[in-house]
Amino acid sequence: MASATEVAVSLRDVSKSYGPVKVLNIPALELARGQIAAVVGENGAGKSTLMGVLSGTVTPTTGSIEIAGQPLHPGRPDHSRERGVALVAQEFPLVGQLSVAENLLLGRRPQRARSGPAGRVVFDRAGTRAEARALLAEVGVTSVDVNRPVERYPVPVRQMIEIAKAWGHRPVVLILDEPTSSLGPVEAERVLELARRHAAGGGAVLFIGHRLDEVRAIADRVVVLRSGKLVADLTPAEATEERMIREMVGSELARAKLAPPGSVERATVLAVRGLTADGLGPVDLDVRAGEIVGVAGLMGSGRSRLLHTVMGAQPRTGGEVAFEGRDFRPRHPADAVAAGVGLVPEDRKVQSLLPAHSVRWNVTLSTLRRISRRGVLWPGADKAHAAGIIDDLGVRLHSQEQLISDLSGGNQQKAVFGRWLAAQPKLLLLDEPTRGVDVGAKAEIYGLIDAAAERGMAVLVASSELEELMWICHRIVVMAHGRAVADVPRERFGKEAIMTAAAGTQPPVVVGEGKAGA
């Protein structure tokens, strides 16, 4: 056990209950300065509750917490910040309408004296911008306009902004909740290096992750939660992937045994030629019925832009798109949905879910017309339809009337999948389909994707996890700087070749029978 001067975090008899349900129960846990402790567990294991207790957003039912030897007042985020706790949350608490600079320095913007009445000060806008640029540079981000509103940046950039914001507090304890879930390999490694720098400087890091290879690469110890309880505290040598999974789920996890996709000789559902949009293009690609095509690339490569442009959420500036052999020009996502295209977006809470509504309402949104009679939704029809979707996908919940926001991340994502699979689109677009879900839910989602393709659905999936794409896809289209630079068939999958193409240092290449734009 660390000495008193070395202890960064100390928890004693900390628990949290909601009514009769105890969601967290930790008799004792300490984290030393200079240490990186990974916290792993299935969705609903208590990870978010633990982070909330430390950051002050959740008030524990019992117990005491100390930060660097000083008691922490429960349920007070301001006091947690004062004691030196900084949380990089999975769902970023950034103010979209404010600029990057204002978000980074929110609540502590530089001030300067102003001539006039004594004691009067004004915000130093130039100083705010300068300090914001310096903070971003510290975390390796140099291409962001600090005057631009945060909402105009994609999720990966917002992730790095949130990390820079936490870094700027110079915390004792840095909590990283799925910090690499939306990042490509290069950016993810940058975040891991920041965690190492913080620990090397005498700070402590709590790293919550579902990517077990990252956990093994960074952690000095691995704390495993299951059903709110601390069930294992592993050394790096003990924390094999098999051991972590066994401790998380309480048994051996049957790995997904998807049949390797074979050659697909079916009709072309989506044909893209010379597609361009803001920050995108030119892009050429085909997706056939029953085929799963992956889109790989580093942060900013255009993965999400490609899907949004096909969906009509971003206007195209050139090129042609054909859907089932016909010219396809959706002016709005509703046009794409009506034509038979579905999208599971990267940011489910902002772009897909209605958090203040029930699970029933969320899973039936895309099929209300189908289950209505002459435009009238008869009582009970949506409940029966929702029950079928929930059962088919194995969504774990107490009642279909509970708020969708009350479900774990994995179950929320399965609910979004269920909504679109029930609509039976001919083309399904998936943007980071397993972001923020645990290993068990990942295997289930991979099974859903595979089953959809077996039924003849065309699937285009963008992901920052290369291993994910190599596992589920027939082909992988590689993007760099907004362009499709390689099209790799399954028999030639290899991390080195794909990452070399994604780095954008090689000329465009076509590998195998797929097509890629030059």
Side-chain angles (χ1 to χ4, degrees), residues 116-434:
R120 189 173 182 182
V121 297
V122 296
F123 287 120
D124 182 357
R125 297 185 182 279
T128 296
R129 291 192 292 268
E131 189 170 342
R133 292 188 188 98
L135 271 178
L136 289 170
E138 285 189 56
V139 300
V141 177
T142 58
S143 59
V144 168
D145 181 358
V146 298
N147 298 308
R148 192 178 185 186
V150 162
E151 64 187 1
R152 295 179 63 184
Y153 283 103
V155 169
V157 176
R158 279 184 273 154
Q159 176 75 80
M160 296 305 297
I161 293 170
E162 182 65 21
I163 290 170
K165 181 179 176 182
W167 187 263
H169 285 284
R170 314 300 178 196
V172 175
V173 183
L174 180 62
I175 304 174
L176 300 173
D177 187 3
E178 292 287 338
T180 66
S181 61
S182 61
L183 303 180
V186 173
E187 296 78 21
E189 181 55 39
R190 186 182 300 157
V191 173
L192 300 186
E193 184 55 36
L194 285 171
R196 296 185 185 103
R197 279 170 52 192
H198 184 68
V205 178
L206 275 174
F207 183 92
I208 299 91
H210 287 317
R211 296 179 178 178
L212 300 186
D213 56 337
E214 287 183 351
V215 167
R216 297 191 65 206
I218 195 173
D220 300 313
R221 61 192 281 207
V222 178
V223 175
V224 186
L225 297 181
R226 185 171 73 240
S227 301
K229 298 178 181 178
L230 198 162
V231 296
D233 194 340
L234 308 176
T235 65
E238 294 170 331
T240 64
E241 184 171 330
E242 292 75 14
R243 175 75 183 276
M244 286 189 284
I245 292 174
R246 185 170 68 249
E247 297 289 0
M248 280 192 283
V249 302
S251 61
E252 298 290 343
L253 178 68
R255 289 178 174 271
K257 299 293 185 182
L258 304 181
S263 61
V264 178
E265 299 295 340
R266 297 189 182 184
T268 298
V269 174
L270 178 71
V272 174
R273 296 292 179 269
L275 179 65
T276 60
D278 181 23
L280 179 71
V283 175
D284 288 9
L285 64 83
D286 292 327
V287 188
R288 302 176 183 89
E291 187 178 31
I292 306 170
V293 176
V295 183
L298 305 180
M299 187 174 73
S301 63
R303 298 186 313 252
S304 295
R305 287 178 183 271
L306 171 62
L307 270 60
H308 291 172
T309 303
V310 171
M311 192 70 187
Q314 173 172 299
R316 77 172 79 164
T317 57
E320 299 178 353
V321 178
F323 182 64
E324 293 193 307
R326 299 177 181 175
D327 185 49
F328 186 58
R329 294 181 178 274
R331 295 165 297 176
H332 186 274
D335 294 340
V337 172
V341 183
L343 170 66
V344 176
E346 179 179 22
D347 192 341
R348 60 177 172 265
K349 290 199 173 181
V350 173
Q351 299 173 309
S352 190
L353 296 178
L354 299 175
H357 291 271
S358 67
V359 176
R360 170 178 57 84
W361 183 248
N362 274 271
V363 300
T364 58
L365 267 179
S366 299
T367 48
L368 288 177
R369 287 188 177 182
R370 184 185 304 171
I371 60 178
S372 301
R373 297 180 186 177
R374 297 179 180 179
V376 177
L377 183 62
W378 292 91
D382 58 336
K383 291 184 179 180
H385 186 54
I389 296 173
I390 291 165
D391 290 343
D392 288 346
L393 274 77
V395 180
R396 299 179 182 89
L397 74 174
H398 301 304
S399 163
Q400 60 174 260
E401 300 306 320
Q402 74 181 100
L403 296 181
I404 190 81
S405 56
D406 290 342
L407 301 186
S408 67
N411 283 299
Q412 288 179 6
Q413 191 72 340
K414 284 193 286 184
V416 175
F417 264 84
R419 174 200 301 172
W420 286 113
L421 293 177
Q424 299 176 353
K426 296 168 184 176
L427 173 65
L428 183 61
L429 307 176
L430 306 175
D431 195 0
E432 299 289 353
T434 63

Side-chain angles (χ1 to χ4, degrees), residues 80-135:
S80 290
R81 285 193 297 271
E82 291 170 8
R83 284 284 185 257
V85 179
L87 168 65
V88 177
Q90 189 178 355
E91 308 299 335
F92 323 127
L94 298 171
V95 183
Q97 295 83 3
L98 295 183
S99 70
V100 172
E102 289 169 321
N103 271 277
L104 285 171
L105 281 300
L106 196 62
R108 56 188 185 91
R109 290 189 291 179
Q111 296 178 335
R112 58 181 171 84
R114 181 180 179 180
S115 59
R120 189 173 182 182
V121 297
V122 296
F123 287 120
D124 182 357
R125 297 185 182 279
T128 296
R129 291 192 292 268
E131 189 170 342
R133 292 188 188 98
L135 271 178

Side-chain angles (χ1 to χ4, degrees), residues 14-18 21-26 49 53 58-62:
V14 171
S15 70
K16 177 62 180 177
S17 298
Y18 293 98
V21 180
K22 184 172 285 189
V23 297
L24 188 69
N25 185 20
I26 298 181
T49 304
V53 165
V58 174
T59 304
T61 304
T62 65

Side-chain angles (χ1 to χ4, degrees), residues 54-74:
L54 289 172
S55 63
T57 59
V58 174
T59 304
T61 304
T62 65
S64 62
I65 304 168
E66 292 184 353
I67 305 296
Q70 299 297 313
L72 184 69
H73 292 305

